[in-house]
Amino acid sequence: QVQLVESGGGLVQAGGSLTLSCTASGGTFSTDAMGWFRQAPGKEREIVAAITWRGSSTRIANSVLGRFTISKENAEDTAYLQMTNLKPEDTAVYYCAVGVFSSPPQIRAWGQGTQVTVSS
C-alpha cells in the first residue's frame, strides 16, 4: 500500500520561504510522478508542481513559476517543494501526491496535507 508522509509547512510572513518534503513508501513508482496540489478555502484543488520519478522533468504552475522549485532525492524516494517569496495568496493546504499529473490527474496516493499560511 502506497503511503506518503509530508512534512514542512507552517506560518510565514509575506516574502518568506518554506520547504515541504514528501516521502513515498510501499510501492513501485518508476512510471509515476510526484508533486503537490494545494487547496485554499472555497477554491478547487490545483496542481502546484510535479516531477518525474527519476527527476528528469518538472512542471510548475504559472502562479508560482519563478518562486517555487521542485526537486527529488531518488535514493530516499523523497521530493521537496522549495517555496520562496511567498504571498498571502499561497495560503492553502498543500497535498503531496503520486501518480500522473495529467488533466484530469490520475493520483495513486495522497499525503495527509500540510497547512501553509502566509501573513501580509
Side-chain angles (χ1 to χ4, degrees):
Q1 182 178 355
V2 177
Q3 290 188 321
L4 302 178
V5 177
E6 299 184 61
S7 63
L11 174 64
V12 66
Q13 290 187 331
S17 300
L18 286 172
T19 297
L20 307 182
S21 66
C22 179
T23 300
S25 63
T28 56
F29 308 102
S30 59
T31 61
D32 291 302
M34 195 170 187
W36 276 267
F37 291 76
R38 69 183 181 185
Q39 188 166 21
K43 295 188 176 181
E44 293 187 356
R45 192 171 294 190
E46 61 175 355
I47 293 173
V48 177
I51 186 167
T52 53
W53 201 255
R54 291 185 172 82
S56 59
S57 179
T58 62
R59 171 185 175 183
I60 305 291
N62 288 336
S63 58
V64 303
L65 191 63
R67 301 187 297 119
F68 289 15
T69 302
I70 188 168
S71 61
K72 192 171 178 297
E73 176 58 57
N74 291 336
E76 298 178 354
D77 288 343
T78 298
Y80 301 93
L81 183 67
Q82 296 173 289
M83 306 182 291
T84 64
N85 191 21
L86 283 159
K87 303 177 180 181
E89 52 263 42
D90 295 318
T91 295
V93 178
Y94 285 68
Y95 295 93
C96 177
V98 166
V100 179
F101 287 69
S102 54
S103 182
Q106 302 172 50
I107 301 301
R108 292 176 59 190
W110 294 95
Q112 76 273 20
T114 187
Q115 178 71 46
V116 171
T117 302
V118 184
S119 63
S120 57

